[in-house]
Amino acid sequence: WDYQESGSNQRLNDVTFTGADVGFAVGGTEGNPNETGVLRKTTNAGASWVEVNLPVDKAINDIQFLGTQVGYAVCEDGYILKTMDGGDNWTFTRPETADLHGVFFTGQSNGFVVGEMGLIIRTEDGGLTWDNQFIPGVIADLNSIMFIDNMTGFIFGNNGHFIKTVN
């Protein structure tokens, strides 16, 4: 391992690459009034990172790209960020007020976000609208979500929560 300088002194929560050279690191500091979000981009395989301007200043917990152009990131306080141009510009929506911890899209239209207090939300239109998915009795924070195909998904959370779907 070789140490690489990110250019940020904030906590970094996740990293993703859209190819051999282009990648993104996200994070920030939680807690009002001094909450800050961090999104750094590299175009040279991590040799250097530049700050990307964000439309909201909230800590970012997870990021996923669908190819090289379309990407999503989830933040504290219910914000979901979206880019359509390879991460240069971001827009946001706020379908919830709860902290969001994980994001996973199974295709261009279908995606899921998990968060605090058992929150699961789903989009079927590329993030234009979001609907709650309720699991009775789950009130723990949900931290991570991933799918192995379009139907089989897993969610992990606090208190040992492990949730699986096959539909």
Side-chain angles (χ1 to χ4, degrees):
W1 295 95
D2 293 318
Y3 179 79
Q4 301 288 312
E5 180 60 49
S6 72
S8 174
N9 62 1
Q10 301 288 333
R11 183 188 73 221
L12 297 174
N13 296 324
D14 195 24
V15 64
T16 190
F17 275 74
T18 61
D21 293 324
V22 178
F24 300 86
V26 297
T29 304
E30 299 175 36
N32 291 324
N34 299 319
E35 185 166 347
T36 59
V38 172
L39 194 151
R40 309 290 287 181
K41 180 178 181 179
T42 182
T43 57
N44 56 15
S48 63
W49 297 82
V50 296
E51 183 175 355
V52 176
N53 291 325
L54 297 172
V56 296
D57 203 15
K58 298 292 178 183
I60 304 172
N61 293 317
D62 196 18
I63 186 169
Q64 182 193 16
F65 268 79
L66 313 175
T68 61
Q69 297 300 304
V70 178
Y72 295 87
V74 293
C75 308
E76 300 294 306
D77 297 330
Y79 289 92
I80 300 173
L81 305 177
K82 181 179 183 179
T83 182
M84 301 283 290
D85 64 2
D88 292 329
N89 297 287
W90 294 80
T91 59
F92 74 91
T93 185
R94 190 178 188 199
E96 290 291 330
T97 58
D99 293 345
L100 306 177
H101 300 151
V103 59
F104 196 92
F105 273 71
T106 59
Q108 294 294 321
S109 298
N110 297 311
F112 297 83
V113 168
V114 296
E116 67 181 350
M117 307 253 340
L119 178 70
I120 304 170
I121 55 177
R122 178 182 186 175
T123 183
E124 296 179 299
D125 58 14
L128 295 175
T129 61
W130 295 87
D131 297 311
N132 281 308
Q133 307 272 288
F134 296 103
I135 300 178
V138 176
I139 58 171
D141 287 359
L142 302 177
N143 300 317
S144 181
I145 183 168
M146 66 94 47
F147 280 74
I148 58 173
D149 58 40
N150 287 338
M151 302 296 284
T152 309
F154 302 89
I155 297 172
F156 298 91
N158 291 1
N159 303 325
H161 276 69
F162 169 69
I163 304 164
K164 178 181 178 182
T165 185
V166 292
N167 62 7

